Amino acid sequence: MSTLFSRLAKWFHGQMPTHEQLAANRYTAPFARRQELFRFTRRSVPRGVAAGIFVGIFAMIPGIQIIGAALMCVPVRGNIPLAAAMTFLSNPATTPFILAASIWIGNHLGFHADLSTFYSLYESGAGIKSWLYWLLSDAAPSLVIGLFVISVVGAVIGYFLSIWFWRGWIGRKHRARQLRPRRTAAVPAVCTEAGV
């Protein structure tokens, strides 16, 4: 399992743009000057995870998610690479479940959206026109409120889970460092001869 995780981490690290590439781009240069947005610290990691989950779930438009998460990390001083990675939690496999859960939550909060119509549109592969008609009905408030609730709850859970994971990871590194044999510096020989 650890080899799979290390391979995935190595691949992800290889796909990330370098600091020089970000500084050379005119759109990302203002962010590249702020080093704290790219450091992995005990404060920036949970903030980046929370921002990425919030934007990734609430803004279900694929290109907008990463940009929105990066922009949200600026005022909260979160880690931009982690925020961008967290937006991939809402992907084509999870989006139908997120939308169905948000409609269900919105319906329980007093709004009305027909969930059976959502399922029939999804299963039939309906076009964008049918989806817009359904969305512009009374389903939109239910969907938006449900997405907001899920994104806030997900961000809070992600924040505290990342704090817990970070403490465990750093603690494991400290224990491993303490178990390593310590190198002692060579003590110079003291000459006791007279005249030296």
Side-chain angles (χ1 to χ4, degrees), residues 5 9 40-42 45-46 49 82 86 157-173 175:
F5 182 71
F40 290 88
T41 64
R42 67 182 172 97
V45 166
V49 168
L82 271 178
M86 289 295 113
I157 291 171
Y159 181 84
F160 287 111
L161 278 178
S162 61
I163 288 174
W164 176 74
F165 179 76
W166 183 264
R167 285 184 181 170
W169 184 54
I170 296 297
R172 191 176 74 216
K173 283 177 62 173
R175 285 190 297 277

Side-chain angles (χ1 to χ4, degrees), residues 10-96:
K10 187 176 180 181
W11 176 84
F12 183 71
H13 191 271
Q15 300 301 315
M16 288 177 48
T18 63
H19 185 69
E20 291 80 20
Q21 290 172 334
L22 291 172
N25 188 335
R26 67 178 181 174
Y27 298 114
T28 59
F31 302 121
R33 289 187 204 112
R34 294 185 57 187
Q35 292 289 325
E36 73 269 9
L37 298 176
F38 297 93
R39 288 192 185 127
F40 290 88
T41 64
R42 67 182 172 97
R43 290 188 179 102
S44 69
V45 166
R47 292 173 184 168
V49 168
I53 291 174
F54 178 79
V55 174
I57 291 175
F58 190 67
M60 299 292 274
I61 304 167
I64 303 298
Q65 292 173 326
I66 295 174
I67 296 168
L71 291 175
M72 191 171 187
C73 283
V74 173
V76 298
R77 296 185 316 249
N79 186 287
I80 289 178
L82 271 178
M86 289 295 113
T87 61
F88 290 105
L89 289 177
S90 63
N91 54 50
T94 60
T95 298

Side-chain angles (χ1 to χ4, degrees), residues 133-155:
Y133 281 138
W134 175 78
L135 192 59
L136 293 177
S137 66
D138 58 349
S142 176
L143 180 67
V144 170
I145 295 296
L147 280 174
F148 182 75
V149 168
I150 290 174
S151 61
V152 167
V153 170

Side-chain angles (χ1 to χ4, degrees), residues 5-6 20 24 68 73 88 100-101 109 111 124 127-128 137 148 183 189 191:
F5 182 71
S6 63
E20 291 80 20
C73 283
F88 290 105
L109 292 176
F111 297 97
S124 67
I128 205 84
S137 66
F148 182 75
R183 294 185 205 163
C191 295

